[in-house]
Structures are given as structure tokens and as C-alpha cells.
Amino acid sequence: MQLAMSQFTTLRKNILPEMDIHHDRLLILDFGSQVTQLIARRVREAGVYCEIWPFSADPGKIESFAPKGIVLSGGPASVLEEGSPRAPQIVWDMKVPVLGICYGQQAMCLQLGGKVEAGHAREFGRARVTTRESVLGWDAGRQYEVWMSHGDRVTALPQGFRVLGSSENAPFAIAADEERGYYSTMFHPEVAHTPEGAKLLSHFAHKICGCAAGWTMAAFRKDAVGKIRQQVGKSRVICGLSGGVDSSVAAVLIHEAVGDQLTCIFVDTGLMRANEAKEVVDLFRDHYNIPLVAVDAGKRFLAGLKGVAEPEKKRKIIGKLFIDVFEEAAAQAGGAEFLAQGTLYPDVIESVSFTGGPSVTIKSHHNVGGLPERLNFKLVEPLRELFKDEVRALGRELGLPESFIGRHPFPGPGLGIRIPGEITGEKLEILRKADAIYLEEIRENGFYDEIWQAFAVLLPVRSVGVMGDGRTYDHVLGLRAVTSVDGMTADYYPFPHDFLSRVATRLINEVRGINRVVYDVTSKPPGTIEWE
């Protein structure tokens, strides 16, 4: 019987209290699926460390990584196309358990002597898989709701494989050679549309691969503190603090490791939300007693943006000014050898993705970081192994207030990309007040934690209205709220109409300069989450 997560946690604490958090680990080989990151997140939720590498990774490095199991992800290609991706031979030579998912199943079967064909009934969306035997923690003789996304399908299994589950259009929906530890699913267990998929991945990690649940944020915290101390030694560290989740968690973690060797620099661009600058300063300077240099550069940013309306030009001006102000503040803070950055694991994955070729620049990245090499810092990146949800969990482990941990993402250029057209002090004040009312209503009505990101946009158009029997000609305010897993795709949040009506009434009554409110129901794609 599969052990409960709490039992694994107890086992780790009582029997393996000093276990290396990376010792029992899985490797995920990426064939290009849009949801590969979800596989890693589900495995880590089960308390097992894992990494995502491209399928084309060097075989010697795969062997040296010494995973206790390997997962082959899905992918957009047809396994039947000439030159389509294959798992490297080392995967089969290492004699460790392997789980193939969708394209990974097809590649596994084809490489081990089975057959894959096109031209059969395709399956995209929800389906039901009936299990013939107990497999990967799923009970025998049950129907499980799953998510399918395939055109080709396996038509003959390699020698030693057996069918353990099937759906209407996928006769080999679950197939395995249990003696060799090879398992495969035609569906995607990692997505939310497969409700019991996480149980399947957990069973593979723990029961099939024999991994202990050593990956927790409590264990990571202890491990990271030791690594930061070893890397930094007696040197000083500077951390650019935005007030967002990533930089806040990184700052508190580094401060725990090296104390007053850390100095945080907070640049108030004047493009922050209502009371945001004060909240950041109060938390880090007063509550955590972390050395903090706070620079009020609002007038400088407004002057630099005067008369500028083109989105990319605004972003570049904001980015350059941020670097200039940060550099001046860093010099005033005294010599530091290290710069702390809130790099997360998805950033690392993107930098080694196997997909290549030219891409179109939709817009410059939201974050205004990317400090130039002339600053000559060595980097401290304590969060580079973590996903966003793990950063939040680490923040809670460190005792950061929920108001910081649970806050929605906020772009580096701030309100500067939520005012299409020229930015002025008057427009900023209107948007700050409107945005605060909108978020206040969202919180009070219990919607905040269901939403990935919510904000107001001051549109570059004016509208005729009537207030108190008088004619008005004021700004139009756009409201945006989206749901998402990682920000790569998003859908609008379906607020009740009475909520939108109440918010619109408050905004028009309480914010001078607004006489019309609209709600953005565009998904990503085709739109972006931010307007600029």
C-alpha cells in the first residue's frame, strides 16, 4: 500500500534527518510538451527532487546525474516523422525505472520494438481509462478520468509489455513491462484534468523508483543557508528588492545566512501601487531589521518618461533608469562582491530548452533587472532550483507575511505598462486609487486567491458621460483578472455581473477622472496578460 505523504515526512525526519535533499532524484527528459513543468511540480509535491533536461542532453551527464528514475515527457512532434526526437540509449542502459507519457510512451514503445501508427481516431481532451490491474497506485477495475492529447497511437507493444489500462480510442492507455520497470501512459497524469494523476506520479517516484520524501522547503531552507554561507564567506551581498515574492524571499533567506553582510536596495520608481513603497520599507527595515537603502526616484522616472508613448521605448527607459539608480545606490552602500537575484527554476529551464530557432519579440521582459556586466558582481541565486509555488512555500517557512507571499505578480515597469500612452503624475494617481479599490473589492469578496493576476489599466481614450446632470469627458478604466498556472497561458476570471457592477459604481463615484469602466475578457493567447 502506498504510504501517505505525512508518513514519508515522518520517515525522513526520524530515520534520515540529515539526508541530502538531492540524493533521491528523478530526471525528466523534455520532448517539448507545454506541460512538462507540471510533471516536475507534481513530483516535487510528492517530496522528491527532480530536474528537467532536454531529450538531447549529453548521455554522460545523464549517467553522472544518477537519477533513480527517468520520465519521458510528451511533445508536439509525431514520433513517426523522420528525425523526430528519441530517448538517448543511456536511458535504457542505466537499468532504472522509466515512465513514458504520451509522446514519451510512443518513443519508448518504438525504440524497444513496438509499433506506432497514425490514422487512427485521435483523442484530445477528457477521456476515461479503465484499469485491468492495479498499476502505479491506481486500483484494478476502475474508471479514471484522464486528459488525452494525441494523434498517433501505439498499436503493438514491445516484448515483455502488458496492457494495464485502456480507453475508447487508446487500447494501450496504460502499458508496462514491470519486470524491467518500464511504465507508460497515453494520457497526461501531470495536468489538473487528470484528477488522480498526481497519485500516479507519486507512486512512480516512491514505490517504483524507491525515492524517499526528502525534498521539503524546511530541508531546502537549511541546505540553502549552508550553501549561501559557503559561497559568500565574509563578503558583502547586495540584493535588489522590488517587494515582490521572489526578491523578498531571497532577501530574507540570504539575511538568515549572512546577517548584516546583506544590504538591500529598494528603488521607488514612482510607478508602484498605492502604499507599496512604504510597506516594503516598513517590512524589511523595521520588521526584519535588514540593512536597506531606499531611493525615492519617482520624479526622475517621470522626467525620463515625459512625452513618451511607445510601449517598448517606455520599457527601455524604465529599465535603463532603474540600472542607473541601482548602480548609484550600490556605490553609496559600499563595496559588495555579490549580487543576489531571484532567478527561479523556470528561467533555468528556458535557458537550456532544446527548442530553438528564431522567435518574435512580443515585448521586452517584465522584469527590469538584467544588470550590466560593468557592475562586476558575482551572482547569488538561492532560488534557482525552485518553482514559483515552492518559493511561496519557502516564504511561509521563513515567516514572511501572507500579504507578501500570496500577492499577485507585479511587473518590473510597474504602472508604467498599465497606462498606454504618455505617463503623467495625474494619470498615475488616478490609476493608483482605482487599482486599490479594485483589489480591495476582490479581497473582500474572496476572489483574490483564485486569481493569478488582477489589475486596472487606464486607457488612452476619453468618454462622454453624465454626472449630476452635467456632461463629463473623462478617462475609461479597463479591469483585468486572469487565471493561470504559470503565466504562459491565461484565461479571464468569470466575475459575477453584480460584482463588476458594484466595482464600477465605486470607481466612478470615488475616483475623480473616471466615468466609464470596462472588463477585459481576452485570453492569452491571443492577448497578453498585461496591456503593454
Side-chain angles (χ1 to χ4, degrees):
M1 181 181 292
Q2 183 179 2
L3 290 176
M5 188 67 206
S6 60
Q7 291 175 289
F8 275 111
T9 303
T10 302
L11 177 68
R12 180 187 60 79
K13 288 181 178 178
N14 294 340
I15 300 178
L16 298 170
E18 299 300 326
M19 188 183 85
D20 178 1
I21 59 174
H22 305 95
H23 181 267
D24 287 358
R25 56 194 180 189
L26 299 188
L27 177 62
I28 299 164
L29 292 182
D30 182 20
F31 289 97
S33 169
Q34 293 184 357
V35 292
T36 298
Q37 289 189 26
L38 290 180
I39 303 173
R41 290 173 65 175
R42 298 292 173 260
V43 171
R44 290 189 180 192
E45 285 167 6
V48 176
Y49 181 71
C50 62
E51 292 186 12
I52 298 173
W53 293 10
F55 75 92
S56 55
D58 179 77
K61 290 183 178 179
I62 293 175
E63 187 173 22
S64 297
F65 186 68
K68 298 193 76 171
I70 296 173
V71 180
L72 308 178
S73 84
S78 167
V79 76
L80 300 173
E81 293 175 357
E82 185 176 351
S84 59
R86 295 288 187 271
Q89 183 60 38
I90 190 66
V91 168
W92 320 114
D93 294 342
M94 289 178 68
K95 309 299 183 185
V96 297
V98 181
L99 171 63
I101 295 173
C102 196
Y103 184 97
Q105 181 195 56
Q106 297 169 22
M108 173 186 285
C109 288
L110 204 60
Q111 289 181 251
L112 297 178
K115 291 183 180 179
V116 177
E117 295 180 4
H120 294 270
R122 300 189 303 169
E123 215 170 7
F124 296 96
R126 287 182 172 85
R128 289 192 170 275
V129 166
T130 302
T131 53
R132 299 184 183 181
E133 300 179 26
S134 177
V135 57
L136 292 170
W138 284 13
D139 298 328
R142 271 193 59 190
Q143 274 198 344
Y144 289 87
E145 186 176 333
V146 302
W147 185 262
M148 294 282 192
S149 181
H150 64 93
D152 305 335
R153 76 179 189 191
V154 175
T155 55
L157 292 172
Q159 186 175 355
F161 278 72
R162 297 186 302 125
V163 178
L164 299 175
S166 58
S167 71
E168 183 177 355
N169 291 314
F172 304 142
I174 307 176
D177 179 340
E178 293 167 290
E179 185 174 333
R180 288 189 287 178
Y182 295 160
Y183 295 81
S184 67
T185 68
M186 192 68 262
F187 55 88
H188 289 270
E190 69 272 28
V191 301
H193 303 301
T194 303
E196 296 193 55
K199 178 180 179 182
L200 183 153
L201 289 167
S202 175
H203 185 96
F204 177 75
H206 292 307
K207 302 297 289 183
I208 304 300
C209 300
C211 296
W215 179 257
T216 68
M217 286 306 98
F220 177 87
R221 173 185 182 179
K222 181 177 180 182
D223 185 75
V225 165
K227 287 181 177 177
I228 293 167
R229 287 173 179 163
Q230 183 177 18
Q231 180 185 6
V232 170
K234 299 296 183 181
S235 301
R236 296 188 60 247
V237 185
I238 282 180
C239 177
L241 194 63
S242 70
V245 175
D246 303 338
S247 65
S248 298
V249 171
V252 174
L253 180 65
I254 293 169
H255 187 252
E256 181 173 295
V258 298
D260 288 350
Q261 291 171 237
L262 170 70
T263 298
C264 289
I265 295 177
F266 172 64
V267 177
D268 181 0
T269 63
L271 306 172
M272 313 293 286
R273 291 175 289 197
N275 300 316
E276 200 159 29
K278 184 178 184 304
E279 290 172 0
V280 172
V281 172
D282 288 349
L283 178 68
F284 286 89
R285 180 179 285 164
D286 300 337
H287 180 74
Y288 280 103
N289 200 30
I290 296 176
L292 175 66
V293 176
V295 184
D296 183 357
K299 292 181 180 179
R300 187 168 171 180
F301 277 79
L302 263 183
L305 291 164
K306 186 176 181 179
V308 180
E310 204 279 319
E312 275 299 294
K313 191 173 181 181
K314 285 195 292 187
R315 285 173 175 271
K316 286 181 169 60
I317 290 170
I318 293 169
K320 181 181 183 305
L321 282 172
F322 181 88
I323 291 169
D324 291 344
V325 174
F326 187 93
E327 185 175 13
E328 293 165 10
Q332 292 176 7
E337 185 177 349
F338 290 91
L339 171 69
Q341 289 192 166
T343 306
L344 302 189
Y345 190 48
D347 303 322
V348 177
I349 296 170
E350 288 174 9
S351 71
V352 297
S353 171
F354 77 85
T355 56
S359 61
V360 176
T361 299
I362 305 300
K363 56 190 178 183
S364 301
H365 198 269
H366 287 172
N367 295 323
V368 294
L371 297 173
E373 291 183 4
R374 71 171 186 267
L375 297 187
N376 200 31
F377 287 116
K378 297 177 183 177
L379 292 181
V380 180
E381 298 174 308
L383 309 181
R384 64 181 286 113
E385 290 184 325
L386 303 184
F387 288 104
K388 189 75 171 189
D389 53 341
E390 292 175 314
V391 174
R392 295 187 195 279
L394 177 60
R396 293 185 180 98
E397 174 70 26
L398 290 164
L400 274 157
E402 191 61 34
S403 59
F404 270 76
I405 297 305
R407 69 177 295 194
H408 293 170
F410 188 61
L415 300 182
I417 59 173
R418 294 177 180 174
I419 302 177
E422 182 184 2
I423 300 169
T424 66
E426 178 190 12
K427 289 180 181 178
L428 282 167
E429 284 309 304
I430 291 172
L431 182 55
R432 254 190 281 270
K433 291 177 183 177
D435 191 71
I437 289 171
Y438 181 40
L439 292 178
E440 177 186 302
E441 285 287 340
I442 287 174
R443 285 191 176 96
E444 288 184 356
N445 285 272
F447 298 133
Y448 192 85
D449 291 337
E450 298 176 10
I451 295 170
W452 168 267
Q453 197 169 1
F455 55 91
V457 183
L458 193 65
L459 302 181
V461 292
R462 289 179 181 263
S463 157
V464 173
V466 179
M467 290 186 187
D469 296 326
R471 178 183 184 275
T472 61
Y473 187 58
D474 283 330
H475 294 281
V476 178
L477 186 79
L479 302 181
R480 183 85 159 127
V482 298
T483 58
S484 181
V485 173
D486 53 16
M488 299 301 293
T489 61
D491 202 359
Y492 75 91
Y493 185 78
F495 284 123
H497 285 286
D498 61 342
F499 171 81
L500 291 172
S501 175
R502 183 168 61 254
V503 171
T505 300
R506 275 199 67 186
L507 289 167
I508 292 169
N509 287 341
E510 298 178 32
V511 184
R512 186 177 296 275
I514 295 173
N515 70 353
R516 192 177 300 268
V517 178
V518 297
Y519 185 55
D520 183 354
V521 295
T522 311
S523 297
K524 177 187 179 181
T528 54
I529 294 177
E530 298 286 350
W531 275 55
E532 289 192 338

